[in-house]
Amino acid sequence: MIDDYVFAGHAATAAGAKRLSVSDCLIDLVPAEPGGDDWFGDFAAAAARGESVLTVGVPVEHVQPLLADLAAAGWVRGSGGLPDRLCHRLPVPSGQVLGFEPIGFDDGTWHSWACLGGLVDDVHTRPASARPPTA
């Protein structure tokens, strides 16, 4: 399944984070570049600055639309940051898969589904008969 993802970077959590996320709506992340890239391109740099490091991958089919959203927000290619990593379509480095976090890019930052006003609770309280079947 990870083969269907493109490496986006490494998110480094600030000290004292009570949960893991790649959204700074939910936790404090250590930015790779103040005022710029949220995620590190190099694991060692992220590990040197953060308490925990999460590797971020983007599904292959979402790379082009995400690049368009990043360009509209002023992120430029050629700076060595996220747009360049996505354009290179590098594989997600191997490691322990902890899970998946649905995220989106809006207003220049990353938002988790957990920061969208009760969406997680809505999913948990939905009757089982209304849920889509699982494979």
Side-chain angles (χ1 to χ4, degrees), residues 24-25 38 66 69-70 72-75 104-111 116:
D24 59 5
C25 290
D38 297 319
L66 179 55
D69 289 344
L70 292 170
W75 292 46
F105 182 77
D106 187 41
D107 290 333
T109 191
W110 303 100
H111 297 283
L116 296 176

Side-chain angles (χ1 to χ4, degrees), residues 19-27 100-104 110-124:
R19 61 167 62 171
L20 295 177
S21 176
V22 299
S23 170
D24 59 5
C25 290
L26 300 176
I27 64 168
F100 297 87
E101 178 181 26
I103 60 169
W110 303 100
H111 297 283
S112 168
W113 74 308
C115 63
L116 296 176
L119 181 59
V120 173
D121 292 336
D122 291 347
V123 170
H124 284 293

Side-chain angles (χ1 to χ4, degrees), residues 4-6 57-66 86 89 100:
D4 298 338
Y5 286 73
V6 171
V58 173
V60 171
E61 67 269 17
H62 296 290
V63 169
Q64 283 308 121
L66 179 55
L86 292 174
R89 297 186 183 239
F100 297 87

